[in-house]
Amino acid sequence: MQKYGIDLAKAKFDVSFLSEKGKEVSKVVSNDFSGIEKFLSGLPEDALLCAEHTGVYGELLVHLCHLSGVCICLVPGYEIKHRMGLVRGKDDKIDARRIREYAERFEDKLRPVSPKGEDMDALHDLYTTRCMLVQQRKRLRTHVVSKDGKVFRAIAAARAENAVIEALDEQIRSLEQEIMEVIRNSPEMKENFLIATSVPGIGTVTACELIIKTENFKRIDSAKRIAAFAGIAPYPNSTGKSDRGTHVSKLGDKEIKSLLYMCARNAKKSSKEFLLYYYKKHEIEKKNHFVVLNNIANKQVKILYALIRKKQLFDKNYIHQDPRCRDGKEQIEKKQHL
């Protein structure tokens, strides 16, 4: 299988590969429909493309590779950088070569990607626009509140601020309606959204964020992986006689991590089970407040993925079966069968 390293940019991308004689070859391809079509048409059948994940710059390439039947993998730049060890120098040609070398060395770690789909792209676009407008509204409201103590205020400035806030409110409500419409029109997305929002503490915003970041719980398909991705998974920190306990990593998606902490706080207030768990850990075992919130966030994620696998909504009256009773029942059934 011939490996191709691709360093993506907005207008073009550099490609690095080895010729039949083993000589390194570099070329530049325009990042548009005609340029990518011409590039893909000249590839061998066993070609494997490996590119750095740079967001929207690679969407057209991924889409056309999917239509052409070409295998392409996207890898985070941070992983490529730290896998290659100590390196010097940097330009697009060198980066393409390093990406190809990464694909050759770590072929077992590559995972082919495919287009997200029209519904997922629409949901992502609507959600990111809503987040941007919410941030602008928050900044403007903070600015308005900061001027409450002033003796004199310009009437025209206050009128303009109120008008902009009202316009932002209207646009945010409109986007939220469109988001819910996209979710309702997709059966799989709607089912997972209802399951996510049924878990205590998880609201609509967090459910949308999880659906987008996990690609409807398919790209990140386990509670351990989403906990590591969000940065709430604890890792040991010990060497020799030194043991500093377990700590969460600073590497993680800050948006999901912040939302999951808010969900943990909401669950502590709205669910008796999580409230008792919090008091047990914080008041009796003297755990730190934020450590317990992190534990609650991990419990919520585990519950969510278990419900996703079972295709069931959260049931607050559900009684956990004793594993010993379940094992005994299985043994009795086996004996009866024999």
Side-chain angles (χ1 to χ4, degrees):
M1 183 176 290
Q2 189 169 0
K3 312 295 190 306
Y4 290 76
I6 298 177
D7 182 56
L8 290 165
K10 182 178 181 180
K12 50 89 177 179
F13 56 84
D14 288 74
V15 183
S16 174
F17 61 96
L18 297 178
S19 64
E20 296 180 356
K21 297 181 179 180
K23 184 179 179 180
E24 182 179 343
V25 180
S26 299
K27 62 187 301 185
V28 179
V29 180
S30 59
N31 195 1
D32 53 28
F33 187 87
S34 60
I36 296 175
E37 279 287 323
K38 183 179 179 181
F39 166 66
L40 295 179
S41 62
L43 294 178
E45 293 183 358
D46 62 342
L48 173 63
L49 308 185
C50 181
E52 181 183 352
H53 199 303
T54 54
V56 297
Y57 293 163
E59 288 188 357
L60 180 60
L61 177 61
V62 172
H63 182 73
L64 294 179
C65 285
H66 179 71
L67 295 178
S68 304
V70 178
C71 182
I72 181 170
C73 306
L74 298 180
V75 184
Y78 182 88
E79 182 175 348
I80 296 174
K81 177 181 178 181
H82 287 268
R83 290 282 187 180
M84 298 307 296
L86 183 63
V87 293
R88 296 179 176 84
K90 175 180 175 61
D91 61 27
D92 294 340
K93 183 178 179 180
I94 294 176
D95 288 343
R97 186 191 69 209
R98 289 172 180 167
I99 294 171
R100 174 181 57 80
E101 292 174 350
Y102 172 88
E104 292 171 348
R105 295 181 184 181
F106 304 101
E107 183 179 357
D108 59 320
K109 297 184 179 296
L110 299 178
R111 298 292 181 269
V113 297
S114 57
K116 298 178 181 179
E118 185 177 352
D119 291 338
M120 187 61 66
D121 285 337
L123 180 64
H124 182 265
D125 195 14
L126 291 168
Y127 181 79
T128 53
T129 304
R130 177 197 174 275
C131 291
M132 182 179 62
L133 295 183
V134 168
Q135 289 295 328
Q136 293 178 353
R137 183 180 64 179
K138 180 181 177 181
R139 292 176 59 186
L140 189 55
R141 284 178 173 174
T142 303
H143 175 69
V144 171
V145 172
S146 66
K147 296 196 297 184
D148 287 344
K150 295 185 67 175
V151 179
F152 301 103
R153 291 187 60 186
I155 297 177
R159 188 184 301 116
E161 291 165 352
N162 292 331
V164 172
I165 290 175
E166 291 178 0
L168 288 174
D169 289 337
E170 180 63 27
Q171 293 298 323
I172 290 171
R173 283 194 296 269
S174 177
L175 287 172
E176 289 174 348
Q177 292 174 1
E178 291 292 334
I179 288 171
M180 295 308 300
E181 188 67 23
V182 171
I183 292 175
R184 282 193 292 266
N185 291 335
S186 174
E188 292 183 359
M189 205 180 293
K190 178 182 178 181
E191 183 182 25
N192 290 338
F193 178 83
L194 293 175
I195 293 173
T197 52
S198 70
V199 178
I202 297 182
T204 57
V205 175
T206 305
C208 289
E209 182 82 19
L210 289 171
I211 289 174
I212 292 170
K213 294 294 177 65
T214 64
E215 294 184 12
N216 202 19
F217 301 98
K218 294 179 180 178
R219 185 173 67 89
I220 304 177
D221 56 358
S222 68
K224 289 184 178 180
R225 292 186 63 189
I226 189 61
F229 179 79
I232 63 172
Y235 292 97
N237 187 5
S238 62
T239 176
K241 295 182 179 180
S242 175
D243 187 359
R244 300 182 181 180
T246 57
H247 301 275
V248 296
S249 174
K250 294 181 179 180
L251 299 177
D253 191 291
K254 299 298 187 293
E255 295 176 354
I256 292 185
K257 185 175 184 178
S258 177
L259 289 172
L260 289 177
Y261 272 118
M262 293 175 64
C263 292
R265 292 178 59 186
N266 292 336
K268 182 175 72 72
K269 297 177 181 179
S270 61
S271 172
K272 291 184 179 180
E273 181 182 354
F274 284 110
L275 180 61
L276 291 174
Y277 178 82
Y278 176 83
Y279 276 112
K280 174 189 173 184
K281 293 293 182 181
H282 183 60
E283 300 294 338
I284 299 176
E285 299 182 10
K286 303 301 179 181
K287 299 285 186 180
N288 183 275
H289 168 73
F290 293 103
V291 172
V292 182
L293 286 183
N294 191 80
N295 293 345
I296 293 176
N298 276 282
K299 286 175 69 69
Q300 288 176 299
V301 166
K302 290 178 181 178
I303 292 172
L304 171 59
Y305 272 84
L307 294 174
I308 292 291
R309 287 194 301 270
K310 297 178 181 179
K311 302 296 182 181
Q312 296 178 359
L313 296 176
F314 180 82
D315 182 9
K316 62 179 181 180
N317 298 320
Y318 178 78
I319 299 176
H320 297 278
Q321 189 177 10
D322 191 336
R324 295 169 297 180
C325 297
R326 185 169 63 247
D327 294 341
K329 184 178 179 180
E330 290 177 356
Q331 292 178 2
I332 292 173
E333 290 177 352
K334 288 182 180 179
K335 289 180 180 180
Q336 291 177 350
H337 180 69
L338 293 174

